[in-house]
Amino acid sequence: MFSWLGKQGGGRERGGGSDVVQTVTGGLRDLYLRKLLPLEEHYRFHDFHSPALEEADFENKPMPMVLLVGQYSTGKTTFIRYLLEQDFPGMRIGPEPTTDSFIAVMYGDSEGSIPGNALVVDPKKPFRKLSRFGNAFLNRFMCSQLPNQVLKSISIIDSPGILSGEKQRISRGYDFCQVLQWFAERVDRIILLFDAHKLDISDEFSEAIKSFRGQDDKIRVVLNKADQVDTQQLMRVYGALMWSLGKVINTPEVLRVYIGSFWAHPLRNTENRRLFEAEAQDLFKDIQSLPQKAAVRKLNDLIKRARLAKVHAYIISYLKKEMPSVFGKENKKKELISRLPEIYIQLQREYHISAGDFPEVKKMQELLETCDFTKFHSLKPKLIEAVDNMLANKIASLMSLIRQEESNMPTEIVHGGAFDGTMAGPFGHGYGEGAKEGADEDEWVVAKDKPAYDEIFYTLSPINGKISGISAKKEMVTSKLPNSVLGKIWKLADCDGDGMLDDEEFALAKHLIKIKLDGYELPGTLPSHLVPPSHRKPLQTAE
């Protein structure tokens, strides 16, 4: 069954960083097969929670996946096209519910699509276990392949637009939330998209979000089409969105919400252009970092799975222990199912387990209804000890290998498509703004405001063309910036380090104060284009 077990990465091979990758993935695979899988099989974990992991889940180079979820016409498919900067097979965009299938957008040497039934029998793709959702789902599942630079680093899962009403849930023919949960357990990032004009969370969308329970660290929220409202309306929309999410996602932490208009069209309202650019840059950085964190994510997911498997074993073995040996089995079963919340609390106290590690009570009760408790197994301490040993010792050694991989290999980020459009050139984020203003100009950028700064300078009674630190402080504190910031500005402006400022250094200090007051960050060291003209030659000589 596991003929590939012998391939786990214990030996060293050529390839440097790739050797470490093979060791990490091989180590994860070996730990799962020897330590965790026996526990899962013994207590029927796969019937209650998640199918067994297989070889494709431990591929040598983990490919990060991003899952997009949202109600219809929130811009999910358009968002993918925006990132890729090209159409992909199976893409349909429109104001009506267009995407009616799950589409895995992945890299391929040639453009084409693979239908769901063929996709789930491909051992090289991590979708084999999706076959359990039946033909109704597989007919609505496909893989779209194309040669795109972005897809060399990440894969993207587009999901059907969510509608409201009971009819939509029934007409799908498969358990939509169960499919979402399957993907959520395996992807690296879950992006919930909202339309600035459509903030209501339908019943099905609410159930979909709840199916992501336990994956909160993967969730990000995008408030799309934000250019269609003005600043005042945007504040109200953002507040309404946070209120709506607070009712569905039961977590004290506030979700990160990215605000913008993610498509390649002119902004309808340019009031918040700078905000949209900054938000898009933050979202791009988050997505670009996924390849670096892929190995850590796999390790983290295995730890979460192991903790859940342990809790499941305690629940099943407790139910087995409480069952009578001869009479009254059915009545006892009903009693135990109804008492499941109390059993959770009892197990928490007995085994010192966090409440957050337990599966959802309602879902567990529904699954237990169809089970024969007499076929459950009693607690086997050796199986639990094996998993505890894995969590306490083996995982730590794999973590050190991952750190070694990160230090030895070049930083891997997502390239291509929209990601390259913000990296360099005059349209890169922050180009020509703040401390970067005037970087490509011959004239000193401070010169245009220097006459106004000179007027202030000469009111401070300079001696031999310079003012003292005390005189400069009196003027600089009027900005109301904290002393820590003003101290940094002083160090940057005092180019010759004599503890005094001449007229050019004072003008530079005022310019840096203006940069900070405008909301930009100060540079760590003074850029060459900001060095006052009279101080440039000595600096060059020093070099």
Side-chain angles (χ1 to χ4, degrees):
M1 179 179 178
F2 298 112
S3 59
W4 34 270
L5 175 59
K7 298 177 184 177
Q8 65 96 10
R12 302 290 296 175
E13 298 176 12
R14 63 177 184 173
S18 62
D19 185 22
V20 179
V21 176
Q22 290 175 2
T23 305
V24 171
T25 54
L28 284 173
R29 183 175 57 203
D30 187 35
L31 284 179
Y32 176 72
L33 293 174
R34 292 193 299 108
K35 306 286 187 179
L36 186 53
L37 185 61
L39 181 73
E40 291 182 355
E41 291 179 335
H42 193 67
Y43 295 103
R44 296 173 56 184
F45 177 86
H46 309 137
D47 296 335
F48 287 82
H49 304 290
S50 180
L53 300 179
E54 54 184 22
E55 186 174 7
D57 294 306
F58 298 102
E59 59 182 342
N60 282 342
K61 186 179 179 183
M63 174 65 74
M65 291 194 290
V66 178
L67 173 64
L68 300 183
V69 181
Q71 298 183 146
Y72 77 93
S73 194
T74 52
K76 297 187 301 298
T77 306
T78 304
F79 181 80
I80 298 175
R81 201 215 173 281
Y82 172 72
L83 294 181
L84 302 182
E85 292 188 342
Q86 73 176 93
D87 295 344
F88 56 89
M91 184 185 84
R92 291 172 59 205
I93 296 174
E96 75 284 359
T98 49
T99 303
D100 60 351
S101 303
F102 280 87
I103 302 177
V105 186
M106 309 179 79
Y107 181 83
D109 293 329
S110 59
E111 193 169 308
S113 60
I114 305 172
N117 282 286
L119 194 57
V120 295
V121 296
D122 185 349
K124 296 181 180 179
K125 296 284 193 297
F127 305 122
R128 288 166 62 92
K129 294 297 182 180
L130 284 170
S131 59
R132 70 188 179 101
F133 294 108
N135 281 328
F137 165 72
L138 296 179
N139 290 334
R140 296 294 183 193
F141 179 46
M142 64 176 287
C143 176
S144 178
Q145 292 186 314
L146 63 157
N148 185 282
Q149 186 70 24
V150 173
L151 300 176
K152 286 185 175 180
S153 303
I154 60 170
S155 297
I156 306 173
I157 311 296
D158 192 9
S159 63
I162 298 174
L163 294 172
S164 59
E166 189 70 23
K167 182 181 178 182
Q168 179 65 24
R169 277 201 291 270
I170 296 171
S171 65
R172 289 193 191 275
Y174 61 91
D175 194 327
F176 180 66
C177 290
Q178 282 290 311
V179 174
L180 284 179
Q181 183 180 352
W182 188 93
F183 277 112
E185 290 171 354
R186 288 156 178 79
V187 300
D188 299 72
R189 187 67 74 236
I190 302 167
I191 297 180
L192 305 179
L193 277 96
F194 289 86
D195 186 329
H197 290 288
K198 251 188 279 184
L199 294 180
D200 60 305
I201 299 179
S202 67
D203 293 343
E204 190 180 28
F205 197 11
S206 176
E207 290 299 317
I209 295 173
K210 288 176 182 176
S211 70
F212 299 145
R213 183 177 182 267
Q215 311 295 335
D216 301 334
D217 57 317
K218 299 179 181 180
I219 298 177
R220 302 291 185 271
V221 178
V222 169
L223 179 56
N224 202 12
K225 306 182 183 180
D227 64 322
Q228 298 180 13
V229 296
D230 59 31
T231 304
Q232 187 178 21
Q233 291 171 327
L234 184 57
M235 290 176 63
R236 292 173 180 166
V237 165
Y238 180 81
L241 174 60
M242 298 306 291
W243 179 80
S244 298
L245 286 172
K247 294 196 300 179
V248 180
I249 301 178
N250 296 319
T251 174
E253 293 83 12
V254 177
L255 289 175
R256 176 64 164 98
V257 178
Y258 299 92
I259 303 170
S261 182
F262 297 94
W263 66 344
H265 291 267
L267 297 176
R268 295 188 183 181
N269 192 323
T270 59
E271 287 180 30
N272 299 303
R273 182 186 185 103
R274 184 178 159 195
L275 169 67
F276 297 159
E277 290 175 353
E279 291 286 281
Q281 190 68 15
D282 287 349
L283 179 58
F284 285 171
K285 286 179 181 177
D286 184 68
I287 296 174
Q288 284 181 306
S289 68
L290 294 179
Q292 296 173 256
K293 301 174 182 176
V296 175
R297 196 270 304 167
K298 278 190 175 294
L299 186 62
N300 186 55
D301 285 351
L302 187 67
I303 294 170
K304 285 195 288 187
R305 187 182 180 99
R307 292 169 70 90
L308 179 59
K310 269 184 61 181
V311 171
H312 178 77
Y314 287 133
I315 295 170
I316 296 300
S317 60
Y318 180 89
L319 297 176
K320 170 67 174 178
K321 183 180 70 173
E322 293 296 310
M323 287 296 289
S325 56
V326 184
F327 301 110
K329 294 180 181 179
E330 196 60 34
N331 288 335
K332 189 63 176 179
K333 173 183 172 180
K334 291 179 181 178
E335 179 200 331
L336 289 171
I337 291 175
S338 65
R339 285 184 48 237
L340 195 60
E342 299 170 28
I343 294 171
Y344 275 18
I345 295 172
Q346 184 177 336
L347 293 175
Q348 287 172 38
R349 292 171 180 168
E350 184 177 350
Y351 297 105
H352 308 289
I353 305 170
S354 169
D357 288 347
F358 282 78
E360 188 182 352
V361 174
K362 186 178 178 182
K363 178 186 172 185
M364 196 69 178
Q365 287 173 323
E366 292 174 357
L367 292 169
L368 287 170
E369 290 282 356
T370 60
C371 295
D372 183 354
F373 286 15
T374 61
K375 293 183 179 178
F376 288 167
H377 293 293
S378 301
L379 189 65
K380 273 195 172 181
K382 285 188 177 181
L383 291 176
I384 298 291
E385 287 170 9
V387 174
D388 284 337
N389 177 57
M390 179 188 84
L391 293 172
N393 303 311
K394 305 297 184 181
I395 293 294
S397 61
L398 281 179
M399 194 66 214
S400 65
L401 279 174
I402 291 173
R403 292 196 187 100
Q404 179 187 340
E405 173 197 343
E406 291 175 346
S407 62
N408 291 343
M409 296 182 68
T411 302
E412 184 182 359
I413 63 173
V414 182
H415 289 287
F419 297 99
D420 287 351
T422 58
M423 288 185 179
F427 296 99
H429 179 64
Y431 186 92
E433 299 176 0
K436 298 177 183 178
E437 182 185 1
D440 55 358
E441 297 177 8
D442 294 332
E443 186 179 356
W444 188 38
V445 68
V446 185
K448 63 180 183 296
D449 296 318
K450 191 170 181 297
Y453 299 148
D454 283 347
E455 291 183 14
I456 301 172
F457 177 79
Y458 288 109
T459 63
L460 300 175
S461 305
I463 299 174
N464 297 325
K466 293 192 174 186
I467 59 173
S468 65
I470 294 175
S471 298
K473 180 180 178 180
K474 289 179 182 177
E475 171 58 29
M476 291 172 70
V477 294
T478 62
S479 67
K480 300 182 180 179
L481 289 171
N483 285 346
S484 58
V485 176
L486 293 175
K488 183 175 182 179
I489 290 173
W490 172 268
K491 289 179 181 179
L492 291 171
D494 186 13
C495 296
D496 52 15
D498 63 353
M500 306 180 77
L501 300 182
D502 60 25
D503 60 323
E504 288 185 339
E505 290 173 322
F506 178 77
L508 173 60
K510 293 291 287 183
H511 181 73
L512 292 172
I513 288 173
K514 181 176 180 293
I515 287 173
K516 189 62 182 176
L517 291 176
D518 287 344
Y520 297 99
E521 292 300 319
L522 294 171
T525 56
L526 192 66
S528 58
H529 70 277
L530 287 182
V531 177
S534 64
H535 291 267
R536 289 180 182 177
K537 190 173 181 180
L539 284 177
Q540 291 172 352
T541 303
E543 290 177 0

